[in-house]
Amino acid sequence: NGNIGKEEKDKRPDQNQPSKFDTIKSLKKSPEDAALRQEIENTDNYSLGVGNTEAATGISSFLFFPPIKGTVTSRYNTNAKHYGIDIVGKPNEAIKATLDGTVLLANFTSETGWTIGIQHGNNLFSLYKHNSALLKKVGDYVKAGDPIAIIGNSGELTTGSHLHFELWYNGMAVNPTEYIAF
């Protein structure tokens, strides 16, 4: 480059000479840098939580698999003794386990038709009613997302093909729509 004077050429490092990193003077850490480094070093490297992981306890700390994707046609309503939600899906669609667990209930009743219930860890229980068929039996261990039943219209307390889904935590019914996107 013809515009660079001799003095400026002398200030540039020679591209053919190795860099001398041992001559770099140590940099001083700012108090802010030291505090940030300490915070990073003290965090749990394997945590998937955001912020304070101690706050992520209880039912909110679980990642639920939706048993079916569809339209919620009847909402959770304890006053009407409707302890779950009704979801309309595609005909013959597989109903899936919402979490890992063990099947504790798999039977037919005249009111709720083919029903399956799964006990999960941490006092969680999920119940799936009005199925046309069950794919698992009592004692089977299932993983989240495993097909457990086929959507149906069985039982006297049904008005069409749908899934009635209940979620229970510590022996109390909870609103599934607060924890699962359908």
Side-chain angles (χ1 to χ4, degrees):
N1 192 345
N3 294 336
I4 298 177
K6 180 169 176 26
E7 294 109 23
E8 288 190 36
K9 279 187 181 178
D10 291 340
K11 291 179 186 176
R12 293 185 305 166
D14 186 350
Q15 301 298 329
N16 297 328
Q17 293 291 329
S19 297
K20 297 180 182 177
F21 293 108
D22 59 342
T23 62
I24 296 175
K25 294 184 174 135
S26 64
L27 300 173
K28 291 184 180 180
K29 295 179 188 173
S30 69
E32 293 84 7
D33 179 60
L36 177 61
R37 287 175 185 270
Q38 187 65 40
E39 183 180 335
I40 298 295
E41 289 170 1
N42 289 338
T43 60
D44 180 4
N45 293 335
Y46 303 102
S47 174
L48 295 176
V50 177
N52 184 359
T53 56
E54 291 176 19
T57 58
I59 193 170
S60 297
S61 66
F62 291 93
L63 296 174
F64 293 93
F65 193 94
I68 191 171
K69 286 287 189 183
T71 303
V72 176
T73 58
S74 185
R75 301 229 170 254
Y76 174 87
N77 183 345
T78 56
N79 293 335
K81 297 189 185 214
H82 193 254
Y83 298 110
I85 58 171
D86 293 339
I87 311 158
V88 174
K90 297 175 187 166
N92 298 316
E93 187 170 357
I95 306 298
K96 297 170 184 82
T98 194
L99 292 169
D100 297 358
T102 302
V103 176
L104 290 189
L105 173 77
N107 65 9
F108 183 88
T109 70
S110 60
E111 290 183 344
T112 61
W114 290 107
T115 300
I116 189 165
I118 302 172
Q119 179 66 58
H120 311 286
N122 296 62
N123 277 335
L124 280 162
F125 184 78
S126 58
L127 195 59
Y128 313 76
K129 297 178 179 180
H130 304 300
N131 302 292
S132 63
L134 302 182
L135 305 176
K136 301 294 181 184
K137 61 185 182 319
V138 171
D140 286 349
Y141 180 78
V142 296
K143 303 285 277 172
D146 282 354
I148 56 170
I150 304 297
I151 196 169
N153 187 29
S154 62
E156 295 169 1
L157 300 177
T158 184
T159 56
S161 184
H162 73 286
L163 168 66
H164 174 86
F165 175 71
E166 296 180 13
L167 190 60
W168 294 73
Y169 181 58
N170 289 332
M172 305 223 15
V174 295
N175 184 349
T177 60
E178 292 181 10
Y179 308 102
I180 305 170
F182 295 93

